Structure formats: C-alpha cells, structure tokens
Amino acid sequence: MNLTETAGLVGVPIGVVGAVIATLAWRTSAGTRRDQAAAEATRRHREMRPDLAVAIDLRHGPDSGVLAVKLVGPREVERYDWIRVTVRDDKERPPPRTGSGVTLEAQQRQVWGPFWFRPGIEGGSEDHRSAEQGGKAVTDTWLFAIDRVLAPHWYSGGGAAWREDYKGAPMRLRIEVGLGDQSWVELLEIEQPRRSAYEDGGVTVA
C-alpha cells in the first residue's frame, strides 16, 4: 500500500481498513499465483520441445529422395500429434523489374532452393511448398518425398543455370510439431549429402 492509499484511509473505521488491506493482499497473492503458473507453463513448454534429427537421403540418385525427420526426444513426451514442414526460400527477393514479364505472384509461388516436396505423396502440398503428416512416437521417423526444384521458365540461363546455382545449397526448412493446443517451431538448414553418400547407399538418420 503506498502513501496515497494510506492517507485516503485516515478517518475510516478500522474494520473497513482491514477489509481494504485484505483485498490488496488477495490481489497481490492472486497476481503472484498467476506469475508462478505462467512461469511453470513456460518451463513445461520448454521441456516438451521436440528434439529432431533431420537429414536428406538421396540413395536413389541426385534428383529425388527423402527428407527424414526423426523424433529423438524428449523423455517427457511419448508422442506428438502432427508435423508440418515448409520449405523456406533461400533469401528475400525484391519485386520483379517492370517489363521483365515476371509477375510478383509467380515469383512468390516459386520455391527458391534445391528441393521441394512431391505433391500428393506423404503429405506433400500441391504447390510443392509444404508437407504435413500425423503423429509419431519418440524414436520414430517421418519420411517426406522430395525432388529437385524445377527452374521457372523465366529463370536466366534455364535449368542448367538453376542447378549450378543451387548445387550444394542447403534445404531451408520451417518445422512445426504439435501436441494438443501447443506447438513448437524449428528453423533449420539441412545440408545436401555428398554424391558419394547416395552412391554408397544413402544417408542414415541416427
């Protein structure tokens, strides 16, 4: 209680003063409980964050393969409800130049990176941009079909230039995993395996 509040109680019956003090104490206690509950919820959310091991498997060749997302942990959670993986573009781009023949919508639809998802397979979306699947238990692995991104027809230098530009570039991902009304997001860059990796039988997610 501050000095202003104390001054305002001068001449007020003791019972009323006691009631005011009790009310202020209750409000303080309620606020403390809310803070403690919020801190506990934050701690639990942090402890329940999924631990992921992610790799690209190109055992069948350099142009198509599997994105493997293994649910390594944590020990506090047995199973998660869903996963959504989205390809992030390699960088932000300014709007197309006027007269280039390229629309802003076409530029934004294009996936700018080495790989995209195969539509209709293992949860892949029609625009190649994302894939979503149901739940998995800890130690299980989600598998997503991926292919090399095709260059848009207006890309300078065509498909050959595109492949050269993205040779060795990482696959940039946004991975969201959900459980009940909670979800966790990871932003990752997954390196492409070396050519010898798929020639030798692919990449194993440990």
Side-chain angles (χ1 to χ4, degrees), residues 84-100:
R84 182 183 302 113
V85 186
T86 304
V87 180
R88 299 159 54 217
D89 290 336
D90 58 350
K91 62 182 179 182
E92 293 187 3
R93 286 177 165 73
R97 297 190 307 274
T98 301
S100 66

Side-chain angles (χ1 to χ4, degrees), residues 84-88 117 129-131 172-176:
R84 182 183 302 113
V85 186
T86 304
V87 180
R88 299 159 54 217
F117 294 106
R129 174 72 66 175
S130 63
R172 305 181 76 229
L173 301 172
R174 179 186 189 274
I175 301 180
E176 184 175 9

Side-chain angles (χ1 to χ4, degrees), residues 100-180:
S100 66
V102 182
T103 66
L104 179 60
E105 291 74 16
Q107 177 178 286
Q108 292 175 339
R109 283 196 307 270
Q110 178 64 36
V111 175
W112 297 89
F115 295 100
W116 57 14
F117 294 106
R118 194 174 304 161
I121 305 297
E122 294 165 342
S125 64
E126 290 301 317
D127 63 359
H128 301 269
R129 174 72 66 175
S130 63
E132 186 171 351
Q133 293 184 20
K136 292 283 187 185
V138 171
T139 72
D140 287 346
T141 301
W142 286 284
L143 300 175
F144 301 92
I146 58 174
D147 297 305
R148 288 278 175 186
V149 174
L150 298 179
H153 66 86
W154 35 264
Y155 192 73
S156 178
W162 178 279
R163 291 179 67 89
E164 183 63 27
D165 290 344
Y166 286 101
K167 182 175 66 176
M171 187 178 187
R172 305 181 76 229
L173 301 172
R174 179 186 189 274
I175 301 180
E176 184 175 9
V177 180
L179 175 63

Side-chain angles (χ1 to χ4, degrees), residues 32-51:
T32 300
R33 289 195 298 272
R34 283 195 299 271
D35 291 343
Q36 291 174 340
E40 175 64 15
T42 299
R43 183 187 67 82
R44 281 291 296 156
H45 191 267
R46 184 169 57 248
E47 290 178 346
M48 294 167 65
R49 173 175 287 277
D51 183 10

